[in-house]
């Protein structure tokens, strides 16, 4: 565990140094501009719009950063051969994989906390009162990010191409937002369309189970968290199967 | 003398597939070698002769197709010996945001050193590799020579018994090469084993007790120090003669790969 | 490699199981939207609520702006004023059916300002189907029905306590205050204009200030 933590902190620091501050600064600027604009235009729904636009930006930045960092992490280490200096040490490939993935997770948490901090300041300035549903909304976004980073890590190791990993993970992100409508198709349509729609439901993730903006509902939260945990674990296991046999 | 690294008929063939076509490239063929404890063993060969492949097989970064490799009597898959090995790859790369000190601490921790051991060992390797004045600098600010010193420092911070050095003198100026050579001599005096490759035959000649000559994945000759010290042209002449007179082709081994 | 197949199979079965727990949703209808690419992009990113918010802002600009499209202020014969309000509201509500502000705002505008109670009632009925216990929606339907019959007093009284709720659109309060003025119910009108002084809409705040001065001097 100690070595996993050492690698995780190293990954986190590398991400902090390189990119995250730029992302957070850009987000902060975007949010301030969005709030000024929406405040004027949305009039009586200013708070709702500020809440939704802030959470949307937090989600987009977290997921984009997560997919990008995940897709490039291992391939960059292999390309620059920094991986040699770590794998020639007394730690297993599993420890290495887990360490780097947890470092990614720490980086995403940092992004989310920083952006939420800026968002909450703006909300409080606009006379918003704290609601726990805010934390649940963030939790749902974080779990969605976990699912996508596990998939992106797998695709990067499987395809050995950053672009392919980003494209596949990005596709999962987009298609995972349409599964409710695909279910609608399976019920309304028949024949080949219904069959294909049903197959798609098995292929794509279901992000709606992680939409917790309505607040805490025990069954929904348990269901979503279990789904995300299992999805993450399966993709991590697949990544390990590839990584343990990989040659450098 | 007990052997630290042992290769027995090791074969490594690289396969790559593209659009249904598979191409094979020889890494090593029927490679047998024993590196003894306390010796400096040099690998010489033209580009693509299999030097880096040899090191990577010893470290478990590559898998053999057939044959065996053991380091301290254990195969790389068991990961039993890694705390006793220090490795400097060809063209090492470090995270640019780290300082020299934080970089060495990172690798020290990964090697299993405690905080007090890191503190002691860090002072030692910084002094031995001439990095004391540069310990606060970021990796991105370092010259090629200083980066190479950092590479050596990270390989020795955990006081390993075996050093595997792939072209450690690449890109260094003459003074840096001299300092590195002296450091390696000190390590040999401390009983370390060194397994090194270099294009600088002059340095290998000075440092090594034995030298293996690789050509197209085959170990075509192992020379002892006495084989080149008497010769007028030294190791360079012997190497050139061996490589030019060898008639073996790069055919794939007859034994079926694993 | 022998573990690959069972793991992939587990993934597929996991997705299949959880798809059965997800609610079904029809693709939102944004055929009437002026910004379909924007909406589709947001839907692709799973940002339905934000898409609804942006369309709501477009709706407010459309209805609330004095620079509204020339066609809408001077429609051809037979075409109502602001013909797009109903379809735009339906589109927003297909993106976010729980967006009650848009439902009430659009229904209020249609029923009390634009004389299109049938469209207003359709919006409110759809709201009741989704939230059968929503007494606010029931009150609005009653108010619209009374307004259709020309009974303005009953219309404003049907809204009851919801009229003074901070979540009630300022437009509805303004319409109700104006009705009270016509009925010469000065205290009730003044109470609503007093609330409108706290409205986030500068136009309504200005109007409320002006009307309160007039009520005080009874120059109406």
């Amino acid at each position: 565990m100690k070595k996993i933590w050492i690698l995780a902190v190293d990954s986190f620091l590398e991400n902090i140094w390189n990119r995250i501050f730029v992302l957070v600064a850009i987000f902060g600027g975007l949010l301030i501009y969005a709030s000024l604009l929406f405040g004027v235009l949305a009039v009586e729904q200013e708070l709702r719009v500020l809440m939704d636009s802030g959470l949307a930006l937090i989600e987009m930045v977290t997921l984009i950063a997560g997919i990008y960092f995940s897709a490039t992490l291992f391939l960059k280490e292999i390309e620059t051969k920094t991986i040699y200096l770590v794998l020639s040490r007394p730690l297993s490939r599993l420890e290495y994989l887990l360490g780097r993935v947890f470092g990614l997770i720490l980086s995403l948490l940092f992004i989310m906390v920083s952006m939420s901090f800026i968002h909450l300041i703006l909300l409080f300035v606009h006379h918003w009162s704290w609601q726990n549903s805010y934390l649940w909304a963030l939790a749902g976004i974080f779990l969605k990010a976990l699912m996508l980073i596990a998939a992106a890590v797998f695709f990067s190791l499987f395809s050995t191409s950053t672009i392919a990993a980003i494209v596949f993970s990005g596709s999962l992100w987009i298609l995972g937002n349409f599964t409710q409508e695909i279910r609608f198709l399976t019920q309304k349509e028949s024949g080949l369309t219904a069959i294909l729609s049903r197959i798609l439901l098995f292929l794509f993730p279901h992000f709606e189970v992680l939409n917790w903006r309505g607040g805490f509902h025990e069954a929904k939260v348990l269901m979503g968290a279990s789904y995300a945990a299992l999805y993450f674990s399966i993709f991590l296991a697949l990544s390990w199967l590839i990584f343990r046999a990989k040659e450098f | 003398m007990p052997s630290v690294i042992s290769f027995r008929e090791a074969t490594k063939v690289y396969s790559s597939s593209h659009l249904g076509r598979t191409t094979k490239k020889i890494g090593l063929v029927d490679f047998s070698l024993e590196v003894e404890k306390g010796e400096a063993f040099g690998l010489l060969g033209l580009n693509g002769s299999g030097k880096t492949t040899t090191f990577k097989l010893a470290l478990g970064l590559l898998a053999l197709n057939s044959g065996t490799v053991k380091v301290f009597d254990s195969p790389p898959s068991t990961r039993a010996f890694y705390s006793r090995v220090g490795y400097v790859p060809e063209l090492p790369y470090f995270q640019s945001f780290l300082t020299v000190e934080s970089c060495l601490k990172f690798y020290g921790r990964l090697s299993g050193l405690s905080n007090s051991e890191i503190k002691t060992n860090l002072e030692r390797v910084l002094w031995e590799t001439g990095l004391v004045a540069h310990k606060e600098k970021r990796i991105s600010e370092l010259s090629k020579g200083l980066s190479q010193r950092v590479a050596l420092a990270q390989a020795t911070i955990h006081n390993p018994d075996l050093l595997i050095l792939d072209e450690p003198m690449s890109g260094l100026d003459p003074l840096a090469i001299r300092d590195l050579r002296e450091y390696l001599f000190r390590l040999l005096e401390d009983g370390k084993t060194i397994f090194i490759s270099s294009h600088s035959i002059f340095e290998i000649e000075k440092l090594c007790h034995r030298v293996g000559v690789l050509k197209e994945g085959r170990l075509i000759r192992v020379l002892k120090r006495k084989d080149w010290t008497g010769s007028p042209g030294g190791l360079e002449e012997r190497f050139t003669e061996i490589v030019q007179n060898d008639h073996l082709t790069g055919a794939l081994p007859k034994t079926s790969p694993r | 490699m022998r573990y690959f197949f069972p793991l992939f199979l587990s993934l597929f079965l996991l997705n299949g199981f959880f798809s059965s727990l997800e609610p079904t949703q029809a693709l939102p209808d944004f055929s009437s939207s002026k910004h379909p690419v924007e909406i589709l992009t947001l839907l692709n990113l799973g940002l339905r609520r934000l898409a609804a918010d942006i369309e709501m802002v477009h709706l407010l600009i459309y209805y609330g702006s004095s620079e509204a499209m020339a066609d809408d202020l001077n429609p051809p014969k037979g075409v109502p004023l602001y013909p797009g309000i109903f379809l735009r509201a339906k589109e927003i509500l297909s993106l976010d059916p729980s967006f009650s502000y848009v439902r009430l705002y659009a229904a209020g505008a249609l029923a009390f300002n634009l004389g299109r109670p049938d469209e207003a009632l359709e919006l409110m009925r759809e709201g009741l189907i989704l939230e059968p216990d929503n007494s606010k929606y029931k009150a609005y339907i009653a108010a619209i029905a009374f307004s259709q019959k020309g009974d303005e007093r009953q219309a404003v009284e049907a809204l009851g306590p919801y009229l003074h709720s901070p979540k009630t659109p300022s437009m509805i309060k303004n319409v109700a205050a104006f009705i009270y003025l016509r009925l010469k119910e000065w205290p009730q009108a003044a109470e609503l204009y007093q609330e409108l002084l706290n409205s986030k809409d500068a136009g309504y705040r200005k109007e409320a200030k002006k009307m309160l001065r007039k009520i005080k001097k009874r120059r109406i």
Side-chain angles (χ1 to χ4, degrees), chain A residues 44 48 52 178 181 227, chain C residues 15 44 48 53 96 101 170:
Chain A
E44 294 180 306
R48 173 188 155 121
D52 290 347
F178 275 112
E181 286 81 7
Y227 178 54
Chain C
N15 285 336
N44 280 337
R48 288 179 83 106
D53 291 348
D96 182 5
Y101 178 85
S170 297

Side-chain angles (χ1 to χ4, degrees), chain A residues 140-153:
Chain A
I141 293 170
F142 176 67
L143 288 176
K144 206 189 280 191
L146 280 191
M147 290 168 68
L148 284 173
I149 65 171
V153 165

Side-chain angles (χ1 to χ4, degrees), chain C:
Chain C
M1 291 298 151
R2 65 177 185 268
Y3 299 113
F4 262 85
F5 178 71
L7 282 170
F8 272 118
L9 186 63
S10 309
L11 195 64
F12 296 145
L13 293 174
L14 185 71
N15 285 336
F17 174 71
F18 277 92
S19 81
S20 64
L21 300 177
E22 236 182 355
T24 307
Q25 188 152 20
L27 198 68
D29 177 17
F30 50 94
S31 51
S32 61
S33 173
K34 302 274 182 191
H35 314 93
V37 174
E38 208 176 70
I39 301 303
L40 196 57
T41 306
L42 290 171
L43 288 178
N44 280 337
L45 298 172
L47 304 173
R48 288 179 83 106
R49 267 183 73 107
L50 187 62
D53 291 348
I54 290 173
E55 287 296 275
M56 186 255 322
V57 168
H58 289 140
L59 174 68
L60 294 179
I61 291 170
Y62 171 73
Y63 184 59
S65 165
S66 59
E67 286 89 31
M69 287 152 274
D71 287 344
D72 290 338
L73 285 179
N74 296 296
K77 200 175 176 183
V79 177
L81 265 181
Y82 294 106
I85 277 196
F86 175 64
L87 287 176
R88 281 171 183 247
K90 292 248 319 175
E91 179 218 320
I92 295 168
L93 292 165
S94 74
L95 287 166
D96 182 5
S98 67
F99 204 166
S100 58
Y101 178 85
V102 164
R103 196 179 297 282
L104 298 174
Y105 181 92
L110 286 163
F112 304 124
N113 285 354
L114 300 172
R116 286 144 69 184
D118 292 335
E119 289 174 343
L121 281 172
E122 187 178 327
L123 288 177
M124 298 313 303
R125 275 194 218 109
E126 281 173 8
L128 262 190
I129 290 169
L130 288 166
E131 298 173 62
D133 296 329
N134 191 319
S135 44
K136 193 180 209 175
Y137 289 173
K138 291 176 190 171
Y140 266 71
I141 289 174
I144 293 167
F146 283 124
S147 172
Q148 253 184 318
K149 286 185 181 173
D151 191 341
E152 287 186 327
R153 182 182 295 280
Q154 289 277 39
V156 291
E157 282 176 7
L159 290 174
Y162 301 113
L163 209 44
H164 301 284
S165 160
K167 291 187 181 172
T168 298
S170 297
M171 188 212 26
I172 303 294
K173 291 190 188 197
N174 195 57
V175 166
F178 192 70
I179 291 172
Y180 275 129
L181 283 178
R182 271 215 293 267
L183 297 169
K184 297 190 186 348
E185 305 275 2
W186 314 122
Q188 288 89 328
E191 189 183 0
L192 283 169
Y193 282 125
Q194 200 66 40
E195 286 170 13
L196 282 171
L197 287 177
N198 297 321
S199 170
K200 297 217 170 169
D201 189 323
Y204 287 121
R205 289 199 301 270
K206 194 176 164 188
E207 171 79 2
K209 232 186 225 177
K210 187 178 89 179
M211 297 312 292
L212 280 168
R213 271 201 303 271
K214 283 190 177 177
I215 288 172
K216 208 172 173 184
K217 293 173 186 174
R218 292 282 197 268
R219 281 184 196 160
I220 297 174

